[in-house]
Amino acid sequence: MLDLMSQTPTAPSPAAWCADLQARMMAALDAAWALIEQSDDPALIAKARDKARVCGQMAAAARKVAMLVPARKGAPPPAAEAFERLEAATGPIVAAAESKPPAAQAQAMRAALAKMKRR
């Protein structure tokens, strides 16, 4: 008995919870849509539309809740590898920017920064 009390139930992962909720809402929407297609009764159609609207509101709330949980990230790459990848990606852009003369506005900004004794 003590062994059962010491174990806490594990909650499903956010991704599993979202997938389960989405499947249940899609089933409810399919059922509401089938009622709308099969019936000519205005009261039944209104009830099915209300059910579909509630499913949409619940789906929006579920998306907001799912966004609160941070996504799991893989292990970060080693620092040297990260810098090499950054250099490979931005190297041509920096080289092209340095080969062009600076624009007039950039020269004016640099002069203003030099007056203020900043960079």
Side-chain angles (χ1 to χ4, degrees):
M1 178 83 175
L2 182 63
D3 188 37
L4 290 176
M5 292 177 66
S6 65
Q7 294 177 354
T8 58
T10 57
S13 70
W17 176 79
C18 287
D20 180 51
L21 185 63
Q22 183 179 10
R24 291 184 359 216
M25 283 192 201
M26 290 301 294
L29 280 173
D30 288 342
W33 194 258
L35 279 175
I36 290 172
E37 287 179 341
Q38 293 173 358
S39 177
D40 291 333
D41 184 20
L44 189 62
I45 291 174
K47 188 174 181 179
R49 284 184 180 169
D50 287 341
K51 188 173 185 177
R53 186 177 315 114
V54 168
C55 284
Q57 291 170 349
M58 286 179 63
R63 279 192 301 273
K64 290 175 186 174
V65 169
M67 294 302 292
L68 291 175
V69 178
R72 293 186 184 198
K73 296 180 182 177
E81 181 185 336
F83 282 118
E84 289 172 5
R85 288 177 33 205
L86 179 66
E87 181 64 31
T90 60
I93 298 169
V94 171
E98 289 176 350
S99 67
K100 294 181 183 177
Q105 184 179 9
Q107 289 176 343
M109 291 302 292
R110 286 184 185 146
L113 287 173
K115 269 187 185 177
M116 294 188 308
K117 296 182 181 173
R118 298 204 178 184
R119 209 171 160 184

